[in-house]
Amino acid sequence: MCENEKVLRMPLIGDKCPEFEAATTQGNIKFPQDFRGKWVVFFSHPADFTPVCTTEFMTFAHRSKELLDINTVLVGLSVDSISAHISWLRRIKELEWKNMKGVDVQFPLIEDISMNVANKFGMIMPGQSNTQAVRAVFIIDPEGTIRLILYYPLSTGRNFDEIKRAVMALQKADKDKCATPADWKPGEDTIVPPAKTMSLAKERAGMQSGKQYCLDWFLCFNKES
């Protein structure tokens, strides 16, 4: 490696989101500053006018209000130009798939021809492509902290339900200081933080009354209904 070669560390869960300014299909943005106070699903796609990406954008745009209802916005990115983005999004509006027709993509789509932003977020993975971003998803909280990271290969389309579920699980954990079990959905029981003392562990062992119940001292749940 050359002495002057700059190595970018991929951001991790718990890191503050890398900052940048960029042109988008909705005008210039400062990220994440322009989105303070909101949750953000920041995601990349390999290229405009590609089939898997088109189905994702139709789905994300069609269901974006579901995220707005939980104080969450979408921000997309690929290494294409604004002109390519606009042309592609106009074409998407003309397509019909799975009873989705006339889909209007209103969330910002970032132009990143230089791949500067994509590299900051580790979205370029040479094992997949040197010229296209993988399908990355970063869930960023209202304070600009990265809370969840997902990476998908070029061939695999993302699941909107899981992304929305993950946002709601993070919001629930923050609000109630709890954790969420496997396959958790809103309204289902949540997990109580584990006991930190011997006395609390003894108290919890076999507890079945009140708003909490335990399968063992280390596995206790809050009743949500």
Side-chain angles (χ1 to χ4, degrees):
M1 183 175 66
C2 298
E3 184 176 344
N4 294 328
E5 185 176 344
K6 185 177 181 180
V7 177
L8 294 175
R9 184 179 76 87
M10 292 169 58
L12 304 175
I13 291 174
D15 285 353
K16 284 295 183 182
C17 178
E19 297 182 357
F20 63 87
E21 296 184 25
T24 84
T25 51
Q26 299 293 325
N28 293 341
I29 62 170
K30 292 183 179 180
F31 194 92
Q33 297 94 316
D34 288 347
F35 302 92
R36 295 291 187 198
K38 297 183 180 297
W39 289 78
V40 180
V41 175
F42 177 41
F43 69 100
S44 59
H45 68 279
D48 298 345
F49 292 102
T50 52
V52 177
C53 301
T54 298
T55 63
E56 289 185 322
F57 265 70
M58 292 181 76
T59 302
F60 286 16
H62 181 68
R63 300 184 61 184
S64 60
K65 187 179 182 303
E66 296 176 36
L67 293 181
L68 291 175
D69 289 343
I70 56 171
N71 192 37
T72 305
V73 296
L74 289 159
V75 178
L77 173 146
S78 77
V79 297
D80 297 286
S81 68
I82 288 291
S83 295
H85 286 342
I86 291 173
S87 181
W88 181 46
L89 299 187
R90 285 170 59 87
R91 182 66 183 115
I92 283 177
K93 195 171 182 178
E94 299 170 344
L95 302 177
E96 180 176 3
W97 178 66
K98 283 191 173 181
N99 297 318
M100 291 180 285
K101 186 176 182 180
V103 175
D104 189 9
V105 179
Q106 297 184 358
F107 57 82
L109 178 52
I110 293 169
E111 173 186 74
D112 192 30
I113 300 172
S114 67
M115 297 190 285
N116 182 47
V117 178
N119 279 314
K120 279 188 176 184
F121 283 82
M123 294 169 170
I124 304 296
M125 298 189 179
Q128 285 281 289
S129 173
N130 288 312
T131 58
Q132 293 181 324
V134 294
R135 301 182 195 283
V137 179
F138 290 82
I139 296 179
I140 301 163
D141 71 18
E143 302 302 320
T145 300
I146 295 170
R147 301 293 298 277
L148 183 146
I149 303 172
L150 297 168
Y151 286 107
Y152 295 76
L154 304 183
S155 61
T156 305
R158 286 163 283 208
N159 184 290
F160 182 92
D161 287 329
E162 171 55 17
I163 292 171
K164 178 184 175 183
R165 189 198 74 89
V167 172
M168 298 181 77
L170 289 166
Q171 293 175 340
K172 179 68 173 178
D174 286 0
K175 178 176 179 288
D176 292 347
K177 308 302 181 201
C178 63
T180 52
D183 293 334
W184 177 86
K185 295 181 179 65
E188 295 182 345
D189 294 353
T190 56
I191 293 176
V192 179
K196 298 295 185 182
T197 64
M198 290 291 291
S199 60
L200 184 54
K202 181 178 179 180
E203 177 186 331
R204 286 184 175 179
M207 182 172 65
Q208 296 293 331
S209 62
K211 293 184 178 181
Q212 295 183 350
Y213 62 94
C214 299
L215 304 186
D216 206 331
W217 69 268
F218 63 88
L219 182 55
C220 296
F221 296 84
N222 289 309
K223 292 181 180 179
E224 295 290 331
S225 59

